[in-house]
Amino acid sequence: MSLIFQKINTVSNISVIILTYNEQLHLARCINSLKPVVDDIFVIDSFSTDDTVQIAEALGATVYQRRWKNYADQFQWGLDNCPIRTTWVMRMDADEYLEDGLAHEIKLKLPSVSDDIAGIYLKRKYYFLGRWIRYGDRYPLVLLRLWRKGKAHIENRWMDEHVVLDQGAALVFDGNFVDDNLNNIEWFIDKHNKYASREMIDILNHKYRFLERDERIEDSENDQAKLKRLVKEKVYNHLPIFFRPVLYFFYRYIIRLGFMDGKEGFAYHFMQGLWYRCLIDLKCLEAEFTLKGAESNVEKIARLQKLTGLNLSN
């Protein structure tokens, strides 16, 4: 019995990469949930002005600081530059944490997976104002968050980037990790305003091809991610602007039973499923006006950089 207990409670040959900027509210919760599972914790910080770095170092993380461009660029830098010595690599956001059941499952199952398994998909639970958003097609969101070193990359996109396996098969674990951001609604609105600019860039880039596009998710084993990307790019983005967010909200809130999530659910599905999507459409409309007369990709990029403040050129 003692040998079994000892085996289950050892770490699982995992390194985790966490990107941060002013995450003092969440980081200790995240790291403490990972400690029973991982060997090494790498924090890539974008020059936080709060106590993020001090918290990370006090909890045993190795911290690097690097100027922010976008999530994909920052995370890929971490994959390429952190001294990862473990077999497995994990992606976590600072406002996420592992439930105890998932931590136990990782320690129990990961050491015995067959050599042909290169990735592990995990199920995400999203919380909004303290409530688990169970409906509206929000759970389970199955994401590749654990993979063998050197067997995956992160998509080079401005928004909605996924980790994609380059080779090997994958499993789905039963346990959950939780996304529960504790910041206020003003922060939520500001974040989604910035997200809308980035998603607008991806939408227009799909149309005009002024930046390189990473389309390797088409070869991924994540059928959920592939289907959602296909529907978004081949169907949703071709519907009339401002009509498509209304249709999407109806799908989430009525057809996918989002109304079962209560008043917090209505607020979330309305803000994230309707308001945010309308904001993206508004920014697309503004950007199309801005791009009128721009013939070269260089000119398109220059105008969009001026409009959004995003560094699109390198």
Side-chain angles (χ1 to χ4, degrees):
M1 179 68 71
S2 61
L3 290 177
I4 295 174
F5 181 82
Q6 183 178 5
K7 180 179 179 181
I8 291 176
N9 281 273
T10 55
V11 290
S12 306
N13 201 14
I14 300 171
S15 296
V16 63
I17 297 176
I18 307 169
L19 307 188
T20 60
Y21 177 72
N22 289 351
E23 289 289 355
Q24 67 178 14
L25 191 59
H26 305 107
L27 189 57
R29 183 186 65 182
C30 176
I31 291 177
N32 286 329
S33 79
L34 292 165
K35 273 189 168 184
V37 175
V38 306
D39 297 79
D40 296 316
I41 300 170
F42 298 104
V43 170
I44 316 299
D45 183 71
S46 303
F47 299 97
S48 292
T49 58
D50 64 1
D51 292 333
T52 295
V53 171
Q54 293 88 335
I55 292 170
E57 291 177 340
L59 292 172
T62 301
V63 179
Y64 298 88
Q65 289 192 304
R66 182 176 184 264
R67 182 177 61 87
W68 179 266
K69 178 182 177 181
N70 60 41
Y71 195 106
D73 173 78
Q74 193 81 329
F75 193 85
Q76 190 62 50
W77 184 92
L79 287 177
D80 295 338
N81 291 277
C82 291
I84 298 172
R85 60 187 177 88
T86 56
T87 301
W88 296 88
V89 183
M90 176 180 277
R91 169 187 175 181
M92 285 289 285
D93 292 341
D95 59 357
E96 297 172 341
Y97 62 91
L98 303 183
E99 289 189 337
D100 291 342
L102 177 58
H104 180 83
E105 184 179 12
I106 290 171
K107 288 187 288 184
L108 188 63
K109 292 182 178 179
L110 195 64
S112 61
V113 300
S114 59
D115 291 341
D116 65 309
I117 299 299
I120 308 295
Y121 289 95
L122 307 179
K123 298 176 181 178
R124 190 192 77 167
K125 290 171 68 173
Y126 185 86
Y127 277 75
F128 184 74
L129 296 178
R131 181 171 186 136
W132 174 21
I133 305 300
R134 300 182 60 178
Y135 300 97
D137 204 25
R138 297 291 90 190
Y139 179 83
L141 184 60
V142 180
L143 301 169
L144 181 67
R145 287 301 189 94
L146 187 56
W147 63 93
R148 292 187 189 270
K149 179 184 175 183
K151 301 295 186 182
H153 73 283
I154 191 164
E155 291 182 284
N156 183 21
R157 295 175 61 91
W158 279 89
M159 191 65 197
D160 194 29
E161 67 290 317
H162 290 273
V163 177
V164 179
L165 277 183
D166 296 318
Q167 55 183 293
L171 296 175
V172 180
F173 279 2
D174 296 321
N176 302 298
F177 71 97
V178 176
D179 182 336
D180 183 9
N181 193 287
L182 303 175
N183 285 302
N184 60 26
I185 297 301
E186 183 176 354
W187 181 92
F188 176 92
I189 292 171
D190 181 63
K191 180 185 78 167
H192 280 80
N193 182 43
K194 293 173 181 175
Y195 279 2
S197 294
R198 295 171 189 169
E199 187 141 0
M200 174 270 289
I201 294 296
D202 278 338
I203 291 172
L204 292 186
N205 189 43
H206 185 259
K207 180 178 180 180
Y208 293 114
R209 307 282 176 151
F210 49 80
L211 297 170
E212 290 185 12
R213 281 175 46 82
D214 188 341
E215 298 176 336
R216 285 174 285 182
I217 198 171
E218 295 177 3
D219 300 321
S220 166
E221 291 196 5
N222 189 343
D223 293 333
Q224 185 187 61
K226 283 192 293 187
L227 179 60
K228 287 188 174 184
R229 180 71 54 77
L230 179 67
V231 170
K232 181 182 286 187
E233 294 187 347
K234 302 298 184 183
V235 180
Y236 181 88
N237 288 346
H238 292 278
L239 295 173
I241 64 170
F242 301 121
F243 169 73
R244 54 196 183 191
V246 175
L247 190 65
Y248 179 55
F249 175 72
F250 179 82
Y251 166 78
R252 270 176 60 165
Y253 197 69
I254 304 299
I255 297 177
R256 300 294 294 184
L257 307 180
F259 62 86
M260 297 285 288
D261 287 318
K263 58 182 181 295
E264 297 88 357
F266 172 79
Y268 174 72
H269 293 302
F270 177 85
M271 293 296 293
Q272 204 274 338
L274 181 59
W275 171 81
Y276 170 60
R277 291 288 156 190
C278 284
L279 185 59
I280 295 169
D281 280 1
L282 180 59
K283 293 199 175 199
C284 286
L285 187 65
E286 179 187 40
E288 291 278 15
F289 178 79
T290 301
L291 291 177
K292 283 183 179 179
E295 308 234 346
S296 69
N297 286 341
V298 172
E299 180 62 20
K300 290 185 177 80
I301 291 171
R303 292 190 186 187
L304 289 173
Q305 285 188 151
K306 184 176 180 181
L307 177 66
T308 63
L310 297 172
N311 181 12
L312 306 177
S313 57
N314 55 50

